[in-house]
Amino acid sequence: MPPVRVRFAPSPTGFFHIGSARTALFNWLYARHTGGVFVLRIEDTDKERNSEQFYNLIYDALTWLGLGWDEGPRVGGAHGPYLQSERAGIYREYLEKLKATGRTYEKDGAIYFRLLGERSEVFDEHRQKTVTKVQAAPTVIDDLIRGRVERVEDEDFVIVRSDGNPVFHFVNVVDDITMQISHVIRGEDHLSNTSKHVELFKALGAPVPQFAHIPLILKQNGPGKMSKRDQGALVEEYQKRGYLPEALVNFLALLGWNPGDDREKLPIAEIIRLFDLPGVNQSNARFDDKKLAHMNMVYLLELPADRFMALAKDYFARHPAVPALQDEAYFREVMLLAQPKLKGLEELPAYTAYFFTEDYPIDEKVKAKVLAKGDPKARLAELIAALPAMDFSSDAAVEEGIKALAAKNNLGFGDYQAVARLAVSGTNVGPSITGMFRVLGRDRVGKRLERFLAAV
RNA sequence: GUCCCCAUCGUCUAGCCCGGUCAGGACACCACCCUUUCACGGUGAGAACCGGGGUUCGAAUCCCCGUGGGGACGCCA
């Protein structure tokens, strides 16, 4: 068995699509599972569309997702260069090889690949023109996911444009030969191209790699596959929104693959251990952002405090609309209070805003509701009076304090909780009131309670 | 239009290869429980084998045909 060598070959178009991410992931997983090599190759033959930052977009996205490449740009390797724009000499060399077999011819300045078989002129109604059809033998594709697929390639096709630039089908095959790619794992949209590729491999006398065409990701709403313009289609969007890369990777792995049991949250090492190509589904999968959000929450909940802090800081740094943090220790306390309650990092600023300013809004609907029940003003006054004697050193101590006050007045904890929360945070959504009190501190809590009482 | 791929709850899927368990899990939705708000969590409900033919004692599972969905038909990648 030759060593497993897989490749991910994006073109720098300025977007890193969620479908590309999954193709990269499946390649990476297969390489890691088999102990093989994961090659990154950039298909930048269309020079006008490429720019430096577009390349970086690819590197950044892969790095963020944790999909490191063993050979490719930045890391090098024995089969480079890894940018197609730097491989013109190799393409010329292979074009000569192909020409030597007599399987090419020139027409209108372009170079065509010649199929083997009887020829006839046919009017193609779909394209509204006369084309030369070839009665070629079917090409057999042994696909690791789809099984045996037969397809008849019935028209010669261009391999070098009239401007001298080789086209995708040709460079793709030449690169896979020279980079000794053993398994081509790519989207099912390439299945129809594969017969062209197989014929080229054969004509060049090269071994045909194993193919594995993975199902496509369909857009959430409406028909068709997910495209760059669809909501949630870009990896960088999740990065910006503070999604955890390991959550996105886990979610993506489950789109078209499963561990064979009911587990869904799987450590990447476990996914690597279990992943295999025959286990990949054959049918397309619809993208579900709700499920991704849920996966993200599960990961967020289990995140160690230090890692969460780092992510929170990073998120705040990238969203300067929220108050700057002066006191690191205080910031940390606030963040840790919020962590177990969040669905995603992007909720963080709104969820914690009132910890960082005295100018927080009061939710009028909540206010109306809270003030309508019992005698909240009296509760507030009692709480304010009890504050100086209360112990703020821990959540439990605060809880004791409020409970003692409630007991004294023959009331329950809840009689104080609702109105105190409203006064201190302006809303009825948030961390435990005891944690809020502790972190805000006696002075701030006292001022907020008094100010609120005075205003109602 | 031609060719290729696919088909289990609304969605992701297990089961299919090696026919025979109330067709299992998760997300979403609903109800209840927990509760110090909001979440988390727990329990429960509703929810699927695309249709038709075969093969068979027996079909989600094997075969064929329809239908539906997706993709490809560029001197784009």
Side-chain angles (χ1 to χ4, degrees):
Chain A
M1 278 288 270
V4 168
R5 291 177 56 84
V6 297
R7 46 59 163 190
F8 173 58
S11 78
T13 55
F15 305 95
F16 198 82
H17 191 254
I18 205 90
S20 302
R22 193 185 54 151
T23 301
L25 172 63
F26 280 23
N27 274 282
W28 182 87
L29 284 172
Y30 192 64
R32 293 294 172 266
H33 175 75
T34 56
V37 174
F38 178 53
V39 178
L40 176 62
R41 173 171 89 219
I42 308 293
E43 308 224 325
D44 57 348
T45 51
D46 192 352
K47 292 185 188 85
E48 279 155 42
R49 293 213 320 230
N50 307 144
S51 82
E52 187 60 31
Q53 54 183 345
F54 289 180
Y55 291 81
N56 289 333
L57 211 69
I58 293 170
Y59 308 148
D60 291 349
L62 287 174
T63 303
W64 180 68
L65 289 167
L67 308 179
W69 53 101
D70 308 309
E71 285 181 28
R74 289 187 173 173
V75 303
H79 304 77
Y82 294 93
L83 265 41
Q84 286 186 336
S85 55
E86 298 172 0
R87 295 173 63 81
I90 297 168
Y91 304 139
R92 264 196 300 278
E93 181 191 325
Y94 273 80
L95 180 61
E96 289 313 313
K97 278 193 187 184
L98 193 58
K99 277 181 173 171
T101 66
R103 295 290 299 276
T104 66
Y105 63 90
E106 225 176 296
K107 193 176 114 189
D108 303 330
I111 300 173
Y112 282 73
F113 178 70
R114 187 200 306 277
L115 261 22
L116 270 20
E118 213 165 287
R119 270 137 219 285
S120 56
E121 302 292 309
V122 171
F123 185 76
D124 186 317
E125 304 219 5
H126 187 241
R127 284 180 289 175
Q128 288 293 303
K129 63 173 185 178
T130 302
V131 295
T132 306
K133 291 279 183 190
V134 184
Q135 291 243 326
T139 305
V140 175
I141 302 154
D142 280 314
D143 194 282
L144 258 16
I145 294 170
R146 280 152 216 290
R148 179 192 168 97
V149 177
E150 259 187 42
R151 195 169 177 281
V152 179
E153 200 60 50
D154 64 355
E155 253 178 78
D156 294 343
F157 54 91
V158 173
I159 53 173
V160 180
R161 285 188 275 268
S162 49
D163 66 3
N165 286 315
V167 305
F168 161 74
H169 300 302
F170 185 68
V171 298
N172 198 267
V173 166
V174 170
D175 287 342
D176 285 343
I177 292 171
T178 53
M179 293 181 182
Q180 294 171 25
I181 298 305
S182 63
H183 294 73
V184 174
I185 305 167
R186 55 174 26 162
E188 202 227 62
D189 49 345
H190 283 291
L191 189 52
S192 308
N193 291 329
T194 306
S195 43
K196 287 188 180 70
H197 299 177
V198 169
E199 292 307 319
L200 283 172
F201 278 109
K202 285 183 178 164
L204 284 163
V208 180
Q210 297 268 4
F211 289 100
H213 286 94
I214 65 180
L216 302 180
I217 298 177
L218 268 28
K219 67 175 76 185
Q220 186 144 237
N221 305 302
K225 64 173 174 172
M226 213 167 183
S227 76
K228 299 179 199 295
R229 317 193 87 182
D230 290 315
Q231 264 295 318
L234 268 32
V235 170
E236 57 174 312
E237 185 185 321
Y238 297 99
Q239 197 173 355
K240 279 190 192 137
R241 286 169 59 188
Y243 274 70
L244 303 182
E246 57 268 50
L248 182 55
V249 163
N250 194 150
F251 170 78
L252 250 22
L254 258 25
L255 234 42
W257 176 85
N258 68 80
D261 55 40
D262 286 343
R263 288 177 298 166
E264 297 210 322
K265 181 177 185 286
L266 297 159
I268 192 66
E270 186 67 356
I271 298 177
I272 290 170
R273 190 174 75 79
L274 295 170
F275 183 85
D276 206 358
L277 292 174
V280 174
N281 287 140
Q282 305 174 50
S283 48
N284 295 341
R286 199 169 290 276
F287 188 80
D288 182 0
D289 62 354
K290 291 250 181 56
K291 188 143 189 172
L292 170 56
H294 178 261
M295 183 67 81
N296 189 53
M297 182 199 70
V298 171
Y299 271 87
L300 200 62
L301 237 35
E302 296 180 6
L303 214 55
D306 285 340
R307 178 96 200 286
F308 180 78
M309 286 308 301
L311 288 168
K313 255 189 232 174
D314 178 61
Y315 191 85
F316 274 85
R318 286 187 291 113
H319 296 78
V322 300
L325 64 137
Q326 318 90 328
D327 185 338
E328 179 112 2
Y330 178 69
F331 178 78
R332 183 183 175 88
E333 290 296 339
V334 173
M335 291 305 117
L336 294 184
L337 219 47
Q339 186 191 355
K341 301 285 199 161
L342 295 173
K343 254 194 148 62
L345 240 34
E346 60 187 330
E347 291 179 350
L348 206 43
Y351 197 80
T352 60
Y354 55 85
F355 281 97
F356 301 103
T357 176
E358 294 305 312
D359 187 25
Y360 53 91
I362 305 287
D363 186 320
E364 290 301 326
K365 275 175 100 172
V366 175
K367 184 174 155 188
K369 219 168 105 187
V370 170
L371 292 184
K373 223 166 43 184
D375 189 356
K377 287 198 209 174
R379 301 294 86 77
L380 229 37
E382 288 155 13
L383 199 53
I384 291 166
L387 231 40
M390 265 171 67
D391 182 357
F392 271 69
S393 64
S394 72
D395 287 17
V398 173
E399 186 172 343
E400 278 313 301
I402 299 176
K403 276 190 173 159
L405 175 66
K408 201 180 85 182
N409 295 321
N410 251 324
L411 294 162
F413 189 102
D415 292 306
Y416 293 91
Q417 189 273 141
V419 68
R421 172 183 299 283
L422 175 64
V424 158
S425 73
T427 175
N428 65 342
V429 176
S432 74
I433 189 75
T434 56
M436 270 169 67
F437 269 38
R438 193 199 86 237
V439 171
L440 282 166
R442 191 195 318 272
D443 290 352
R444 233 182 311 215
V445 169
K447 283 195 185 114
R448 290 186 182 194
L449 293 180
E450 280 167 21
R451 195 176 59 219
F452 183 81
L453 183 57
V456 292

